């Protein structure tokens, strides 16, 4: 049975774990040839484990905050396929705490990971995406992973709110820029709610250590209870949405923000 993305070439940043891995697996399952990128060495056990779950994936080491490494990745993609059809800017980090307690260095690191990476990925691969988009019925696709925290605010999450809000508006601006100029690239953002990932567990561990009143497990349980569907999302539930946006099924969508949050922002 043919997949929606048969013959398409994709690249996903931050794709060895959590949401990024689920996205890569969903793209692969739909037939895409997927470049999985992350910081791990190519011969690491985590890379081997991830690659074993996909049929047509290959791994590239990529520090998504480093322009030279993005350019090297582009050279590899171009040498292998000559174009790109799907770019998923997924890599991300979190930072919580009262604004007066945040360090400037930590703020800048967060912005580099969450915002600079999206800019660099889009800037670097625009020519290859334009080339790929010209040969497909409805253009190529960029999917930027933002968050519900890019739409609504939360106390002690100001840095993360700011970074994900930047991704949301960068997405819309690029969508208009490409559409107005006739460049065949669609650009959309995905806004997950609370997702069961290693990053979430690490974040709750740090919050618990700082606050001292609730355990990480209690914090996660509270997240589930404040979500209308009373549970956290699984990464694959985000991956399937990204695969849809990457496909021709989303042919009339650009500049859209797709919220996947179990009803959390509907209140």
């Amino acid at each position: 049975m043919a997949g929606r993305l048969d013959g398409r070439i994709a690249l996903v940043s931050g794709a060895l774990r959590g949401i990024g891995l689920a996205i890569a697996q969903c793209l692969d399952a739909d037939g895409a040839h997927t470049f999985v990128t992350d910081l791990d060495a190519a011969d690491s056990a985590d890379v081997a484990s991830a690659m074993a779950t996909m049929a047509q994936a290959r791994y590239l080491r990529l520090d998504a905050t480093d322009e030279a490494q993005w350019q090297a990745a582009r050279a590899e993609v171009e040498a292998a396929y000559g174009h790109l059809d799907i770019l998923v800017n997924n890599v991300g980090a979190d930072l919580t705490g009262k604004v007066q307690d945040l360090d400037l260095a930590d703020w800048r690191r967060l912005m580099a990971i969450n915002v600079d990476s999206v800019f660099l990925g889009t800037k670097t691969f625009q020519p290859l995406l334009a080339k790929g988009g010209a040969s497909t019925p409805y253009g190529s696709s960029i999917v930027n992973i933002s968050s519900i925290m890019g739409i609504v605010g939360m106390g002690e999450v100001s840095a993360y709110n700011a970074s994900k809000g930047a991704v949301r508006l960068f997405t819309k601006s690029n969508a208009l820029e490409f559409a107005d100029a006739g460049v065949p690239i669609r650009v959309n953002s995905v806004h997950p709610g609370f997702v069961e990932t290693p990053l979430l567990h690490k974040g709750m561990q740090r919050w618990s250590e700082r606050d001292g009143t609730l355990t990480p497990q209690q914090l996660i349980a509270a997240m589930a209870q404040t979500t209308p569907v009373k549970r956290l999302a699984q990464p694959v539930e985000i991956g399937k949405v990204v695969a849809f946006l990457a496909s021709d099924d989303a042919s009339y969508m650009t500049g859209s923000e797709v919220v996947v949050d179990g009803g959390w922002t509907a209140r």
Side-chain angles (χ1 to χ4, degrees):
M1 181 174 168
R4 290 181 297 183
L5 303 175
D6 279 357
R8 304 286 173 91
I9 313 304
L11 185 144
V12 186
S13 67
L16 279 185
R17 299 166 188 85
I19 292 172
L21 177 58
I23 290 169
Q25 290 168 334
C26 287
L27 296 178
D28 179 81
D30 251 331
H33 296 263
T34 304
F35 287 85
V36 172
T37 76
D38 217 310
L39 286 172
D40 299 51
D43 59 356
S44 73
D46 283 351
V47 170
S49 176
M51 293 300 99
T53 68
M54 290 173 274
Q56 301 184 106
R58 59 190 289 185
Y59 181 72
L60 289 178
R61 188 185 182 281
L62 171 66
D63 178 348
T65 68
D66 186 328
E67 185 169 18
Q69 292 195 31
W70 274 108
Q71 292 169 343
R74 180 183 64 194
E76 291 217 28
V77 173
E78 188 167 23
Y81 297 105
H83 71 282
L84 188 69
D85 300 296
I86 301 157
L87 172 65
V88 184
N89 288 308
N90 164 76
V91 67
D94 69 351
L95 176 63
T96 59
K98 295 179 174 63
V99 66
Q100 67 269 23
D101 297 331
L102 299 178
D103 292 332
L104 179 59
D106 291 337
W107 169 280
R108 286 178 171 164
R109 175 181 176 274
L110 184 78
M111 295 302 163
I113 295 171
N114 288 2
V115 184
D116 292 0
S117 65
V118 179
F119 162 70
L120 289 171
T122 303
K123 169 186 168 63
T124 305
F125 275 98
Q126 191 273 356
L128 293 189
L129 286 160
K131 187 175 180 181
S135 64
T136 55
Y138 302 108
S140 57
S141 174
I142 297 175
V143 183
N144 296 324
I145 307 303
S146 179
S147 167
I148 56 172
M149 296 302 155
I151 299 174
V152 297
M154 178 178 284
E156 299 188 35
V157 192
S158 59
Y160 189 74
N161 279 146
S163 70
K164 291 303 187 177
V167 172
R168 175 177 178 256
L169 283 182
F170 184 80
T171 297
K172 293 181 185 300
S173 177
N174 276 250
L176 293 173
E177 178 180 323
F178 297 150
D180 289 344
V183 177
I185 304 173
R186 296 180 295 106
V187 193
N188 297 290
S189 59
V190 173
H191 299 257
F194 302 116
V195 185
E196 186 83 30
T197 65
L199 181 64
L200 180 134
H201 281 272
K202 289 177 183 177
M204 292 305 98
Q205 180 66 43
R206 289 193 296 270
W207 194 305
S208 176
E209 290 170 356
R210 186 179 68 249
D211 180 70
T213 58
L214 295 173
T215 67
Q217 293 73 24
Q218 289 171 325
L219 288 167
I220 291 170
M223 284 181 174
Q225 285 305 304
T226 59
T227 300
V229 299
K230 304 304 182 192
R231 67 176 178 86
L232 273 60
Q234 293 303 305
V236 68
E237 294 179 288
I238 313 303
K240 289 178 179 179
V241 173
V242 174
F244 160 72
L245 289 172
S247 76
D248 290 346
D249 289 346
S251 57
Y252 203 59
M253 295 180 68
T254 194
S256 299
E257 53 189 63
V258 182
V259 178
V260 191
D261 70 349
W264 199 86
T265 58
R267 292 197 186 280

